[in-house]
Amino acid sequence: MEIDILYTSVSKWKENSYIIKYQNEAWLIDPGDEFEKLDKNFNTADLNLNGIINTHGHFDHVGAVSGFKKKYGAPFFIHAKDKQILRQANLYKKLAGSSEYFDIPAIDFFIEDNSIFEIGDKSISTHYTPGHTNGSVSFEIEKCLFTGDLLFKDI
């Protein structure tokens, strides 16, 4: 059985949110906004959502985390060096021109370099890749790399 990777672009910032599915398990990466849209598009109802892992803590990457935590009881993982950015996410969202606010999610666990997230008999590995933020990380599974905003297309 192969892993299944789906993505959905959300919000006016066109942030990419991903779900990695394998057998009946899943990991959510960067659920940025529009909880209902993500939940529907990713069809998470029949999955065991192991957790939510974020590449960094900017507002456009964390807006729907609380919704998934509440509905599925999924733990939230982020690098400790992005704790302050996460706390100020609504301020940064306001400075970017939005008047909408969201619940800042509680962090359940901190990601470290070389953290491993299991999904069935496969592993998602973590690489500490500071640059976009001090706590930026990238996730790798098989031949796929999720970099958040560390890399941008056409820039």
Side-chain angles (χ1 to χ4, degrees):
M1 176 178 250
E2 295 292 318
I3 62 169
D4 191 15
I5 298 172
L6 304 173
Y7 87 95
T8 299
S9 183
V10 293
S11 80
K12 71 178 189 178
W13 292 278
K14 304 294 182 204
E15 184 270 340
N16 291 322
S17 298
Y18 299 90
I19 192 163
I20 300 172
K21 297 180 180 183
Y22 182 67
Q23 297 169 341
N24 68 334
E25 296 182 41
W27 282 92
L28 190 58
I29 300 174
D30 290 348
D33 202 358
E34 301 180 73
F35 166 74
E36 291 83 11
K37 177 181 177 179
L38 290 174
D39 195 34
K40 179 181 175 188
N41 288 358
F42 290 156
N43 193 22
T44 50
D46 295 330
L47 297 171
N48 177 24
L49 186 58
N50 294 348
I52 304 155
I53 51 179
N54 268 70
T55 59
H56 65 287
H58 281 157
F59 69 88
D60 58 325
H61 286 251
V62 298
V65 171
S66 289
F68 282 98
K69 284 180 57 109
K70 287 176 189 169
K71 184 171 181 179
Y72 297 100
F76 174 49
F77 300 75
I78 196 165
H79 196 282
K81 289 186 178 179
D82 270 10
K83 190 166 126 178
Q84 188 63 30
I85 289 172
L86 177 66
R87 285 185 185 151
Q88 297 174 334
N90 279 316
L91 171 62
Y92 287 111
K93 189 172 183 180
K94 182 177 180 178
L95 292 173
S98 178
S99 60
E100 298 175 9
Y101 295 96
F102 61 91
D103 291 334
I104 302 295
I107 301 167
D108 296 298
F109 301 100
F110 290 113
I111 294 171
E112 297 180 17
D113 190 20
N114 300 317
S115 290
I116 301 291
F117 300 97
E118 302 295 332
I119 182 165
D121 60 353
K122 300 191 181 293
S123 298
I124 302 168
S125 57
T126 304
H127 306 283
Y128 179 52
T129 52
H132 184 64
T133 67
N134 290 335
S136 288
V137 297
S138 296
F139 302 109
E140 179 182 3
I141 184 166
E142 296 185 343
K143 294 182 181 183
C144 298
L145 185 66
F146 302 88
T147 63
D149 290 344
L150 188 64
L151 301 172
F152 285 97
K153 180 179 179 189
D154 299 329
I155 293 181

